[in-house]
Amino acid sequence: RWNIPGASIAVLADGEVLEAAAGIANLNSGLRVTPDTLFPYGSITKALTSTLVLRLVQQGLVALDAPVTDYVPEFRPASAELAERITLRHLLAHSSGLPGTIFRDTGWGDDALRANVELINRHPHYFEPGLMFSYCNSGLLLLGRIAETVSGQAWHQVFQSVLAQPLGISTLVTRPEFALRHPFAVGHVRNRQNHRWQVDPHPFAFASHGPAGSAPAGRARDLLEIVRVYLGQGPNAGFLDPALVREAWSTQSRPPTDLLTRRWGLGWTLYDWVQGVEVVGHNGSTAGTISFLRIHPETKSAVVLLVNSTSGLLLSDEVFREVFRSLAGVWEPGVPASAPGFTPEPARYEGVFEDIHGRIELRARGEDLQIHTVARNCNAGISDRATSAVLRNYTANGFYTEGQVSRYTMNVGDERTRLVERSALCTLANGDVYFHDGYLAMKKV
């Protein structure tokens, strides 16, 4: 029906976990998907890394408002003064101003995260710490390195000893070789000649970005066990102090405009839906897979959907809409409404915007804007070709893109759904102008 290889879903409702799975885990082998099949989590891993760090906070090993340099002495970016002001809270809230993503394979050894810190040191700072939210994989790598230094263990070891093992989740894995013990769903991409699905030529992303989501994997219901920790349910209800949970799910940073419907907690996305409904969650994508997690704290319900291909938006929209309308009475909003009498003026917003991820050009096209993106060489792994999309101008400085789950720098399919991604132009107090898509802030040049 949705023309995808396979998927696994788990739903938490009324204290019970319900599961379903369908399709093929690996088109080369024909292995079928079951609820016990492990899927790569992609960036949903960031919520797990954040949970691990909060556990270290609870144990008194780290402090949220301590400088990163207290724990990572090799963290020495160009501006030493700024480095001293970046705290763990900034990393968890994606408000550090560090370069967002540096996709470089630093190997599979225990020094991989330390080598990533050296790469971060070589790039400029993009804005003052705490100024605003901008999605930052580099911050998660630093958090992983902090976990290493305070525990004396390599990342994949501390993940097991601090998080997976105490929670009793043996199917949470952080490296591809650990997945060999379990049925595993590899990612799939489109063949460019015949457009059919094929196993991703690189079914595992490099392990050196593990804390940000490159390689960790597990079952759908394993993520619900993490959610139950935050909801105070089950045998692990006391794993995190309730005060830490409240802080994790409260606003720590936000984009500099209320046109965007996302805020950020400590490692978690906070979504503002219609009718005042507040939802917590995260999305993920890696190595030909895509994943979705949404939690409705008021009803203590949650849904996890894992897909082993670069498509999945149509499936998530239909399944989540049905489930969340039943649980919460509402689902994610679609196309935003313009104010009465609003007239689009796309030519006002033309310009070029850059950061470490790439270069964005906005050009007027009728009543809309054409957004054209080219990834930077340091992030060649994001996309092997330029991408384009149409931005609809629906209010002053506000835009939306239909059917996109990318942040304009990743090709994840051309699905058309009622779901949209909002973006906005933001002018800060110092006069700097940014294009913000709800995830990344890119400065006008």
Side-chain angles (χ1 to χ4, degrees):
R1 181 171 172 183
W2 292 285
N3 190 28
I4 56 178
S8 181
I9 189 172
V11 179
L12 174 64
D14 300 323
E16 300 292 329
V17 174
L18 309 174
E19 300 175 276
I24 304 298
N26 183 330
L27 289 179
N28 286 350
S29 69
L31 178 70
R32 297 201 65 82
V33 178
T34 76
D36 289 322
T37 302
L38 275 59
F39 281 70
Y41 287 156
S43 284
I44 290 180
T45 299
K46 291 179 173 64
L48 306 187
T49 299
S50 300
T51 304
L52 185 157
V53 172
L54 291 176
R55 179 67 174 176
L56 296 177
V57 171
Q58 183 163 303
Q59 294 173 341
L61 295 175
V62 299
L64 284 173
D65 294 308
V68 173
T69 49
D70 282 2
Y71 309 104
V72 186
E74 70 268 23
F75 178 52
R76 297 187 300 272
S79 173
E81 185 270 333
L82 279 177
E84 292 294 333
R85 290 163 48 199
I86 298 173
T87 65
L88 277 69
R89 187 184 299 274
H90 290 136
L91 301 184
L92 288 163
H94 296 264
S95 61
S96 66
L98 290 170
T101 302
I102 307 168
F103 278 129
R104 280 288 179 266
D105 188 355
T106 55
W108 292 63
D110 291 348
D111 61 345
L113 285 181
R114 182 185 178 97
N116 268 300
V117 176
E118 299 296 338
L119 290 176
I120 294 169
N121 288 341
R122 300 176 195 170
H123 287 80
H125 217 87
Y126 283 89
F127 56 83
E128 290 279 314
L131 181 64
M132 63 176 166
F133 160 76
S134 187
Y135 196 76
C136 185
N137 281 288
S138 296
L140 270 293
L141 299 184
L142 275 170
L143 288 169
R145 178 63 182 145
I146 290 169
E148 289 185 334
T149 61
V150 301
S151 68
Q153 298 176 306
W155 163 250
H156 60 92
Q157 295 169 325
V158 70
F159 185 94
Q160 294 298 321
S161 65
V162 174
L163 189 68
Q165 291 171 1
L167 294 178
I169 311 176
S170 61
T171 43
L172 281 180
V173 301
T174 52
R175 291 170 63 122
E177 65 266 32
F178 301 153
L180 294 174
R181 306 173 186 145
H182 309 278
F184 189 86
V186 300
H188 296 80
V189 296
R190 294 284 190 187
N191 181 293
R192 291 191 180 175
Q193 279 68 50
N194 58 27
H195 302 289
R196 295 175 182 171
W197 290 115
Q198 65 180 25
V199 171
D200 191 321
H202 308 286
F204 299 106
F206 39 80
S208 58
H209 271 238
S214 62
R219 303 170 300 185
R221 69 175 175 270
D222 294 338
L223 288 176
L224 291 184
E225 284 306 308
I226 303 295
V227 170
R228 282 158 62 90
V229 165
Y230 284 81
L231 295 176
Q233 296 181 347
N236 299 309
F239 187 76
L240 288 180
D241 185 276
L244 274 178
V245 172
R246 287 193 294 273
E247 199 162 4
W249 284 2
S250 65
T251 303
Q252 303 291 326
S253 65
R254 63 173 71 240
T257 171
D258 58 6
L259 294 175
L260 302 172
T261 57
R262 292 188 187 91
R263 296 167 285 119
W264 217 266
L266 297 177
W268 292 89
T269 315
L270 311 177
Y271 301 89
D272 296 313
W273 289 357
V274 295
Q275 301 173 22
V277 173
E278 296 183 353
V279 174
V280 180
H282 216 295
N283 290 347
S285 61
T286 184
T289 64
I290 191 166
S291 53
F292 307 86
L293 167 61
R294 296 291 185 274
I295 308 159
H296 186 227
E298 183 179 341
T299 57
K300 294 184 179 294
S301 55
V303 185
V304 175
L305 175 66
L306 308 175
V307 179
N308 64 336
S309 72
T310 50
S311 292
L313 200 58
L314 292 168
L315 171 62
S316 70
D317 184 17
E318 183 156 344
V319 172
F320 277 43
R321 180 169 68 246
E322 181 172 342
V323 171
F324 269 96
R325 282 182 174 170
S326 172
L327 296 173
V330 67
W331 168 226
E332 188 170 329
V335 173
S338 297
F342 173 74
T343 301
E345 298 180 82
R348 287 181 52 197
Y349 308 115
E350 290 187 322
V352 177
F353 304 79
E354 289 184 347
D355 74 351
I356 191 172
H357 299 86
R359 178 184 181 92
I360 280 180
E361 298 178 5
L362 300 184
R363 296 287 178 255
R365 196 183 78 171
E367 292 190 346
D368 301 315
L369 280 169
Q370 184 79 27
I371 179 169
H372 182 74
T373 301
V374 179
R376 286 192 185 277
N377 289 336
C378 67
N379 285 319
I382 292 179
S383 172
D384 56 6
R385 63 181 185 272
T387 61
S388 294
V390 174
L391 288 181
R392 312 289 187 192
N393 181 203
Y394 76 96
T395 190
N397 297 315
F399 318 91
Y400 67 86
T401 308
E402 296 175 287
Q404 297 285 328
V405 295
S406 71
R407 288 175 294 283
Y408 314 117
T409 52
M410 300 172 69
N411 285 305
V412 293
D414 56 357
E415 297 173 282
R416 306 290 291 180
T417 80
R418 57 159 214 96
L419 295 180
V420 302
E421 289 289 341
R422 297 197 198 193
S423 54
L425 285 181
C426 320
T427 302
L428 304 186
N430 64 1
D432 288 342
V433 178
Y434 285 83
F435 176 81
H436 206 304
D437 65 0
Y439 286 100
L440 294 175
M442 303 184 80
K443 188 176 179 180
K444 190 171 186 178
V445 297

